[in-house]
Amino acid sequence: MAVDDAALTEDERAELEQLRAEKAAREEAERARQERAELERLRAERQARTEEERARSLMEPGDDLSMPVGQKIVLAGVAIAVLLAVLMLVFGPK
């Protein structure tokens, strides 16, 4: 196999430049795709942390051990259900 030491022709040089440009465009498109994927992953992580912090604030007691908001809501719902059941028993059909 002999090495061709001759310079590239103008057509070959133009083809080489075109192929290099196509390769650079493919690489740039891949980089952009990877950056978009990383952005979406980071947004999802941030949203998960935010939701976790919100859930924690609803269900965990405060520093002064006060009843958390979520527990208050559940207890209010149970109290309303019990009150409705008692009213139905007292004033319901006999």
Side-chain angles (χ1 to χ4, degrees):
M1 218 186 226
V3 176
D4 187 13
D5 290 334
L8 295 175
T9 66
E10 288 299 317
D11 289 340
E12 290 172 330
R13 187 165 306 282
E15 182 182 4
L16 178 61
E17 291 301 320
Q18 179 184 1
L19 292 173
R20 284 179 179 164
E22 290 173 4
K23 179 182 176 186
R26 283 192 311 271
E27 289 173 349
E28 180 60 30
E30 178 62 21
R31 254 191 314 277
R33 185 195 63 76
Q34 289 174 350
E35 288 176 351
R36 280 192 298 277
E38 181 182 12
L39 176 64
E40 290 301 317
R41 182 181 52 80
L42 291 172
R43 282 179 179 166
E45 286 177 10
R46 181 177 58 190
Q47 182 178 0
R49 276 196 317 269
T50 302
E51 290 172 359
E52 184 177 313
E53 290 171 7
R54 182 175 172 269
R56 182 176 293 122
S57 71
L58 281 176
M59 296 308 291
E60 287 185 0
D63 293 336
D64 59 352
L65 297 180
S66 61
M67 187 181 298
V69 176
Q71 190 174 2
K72 289 177 184 178
I73 292 171
V74 169
L75 288 176
V78 169
I80 291 171
V82 168
L83 180 62
L84 287 175
V86 169
L87 289 175
M88 287 177 61
L89 287 174
V90 172
F91 296 111
K94 296 183 181 182

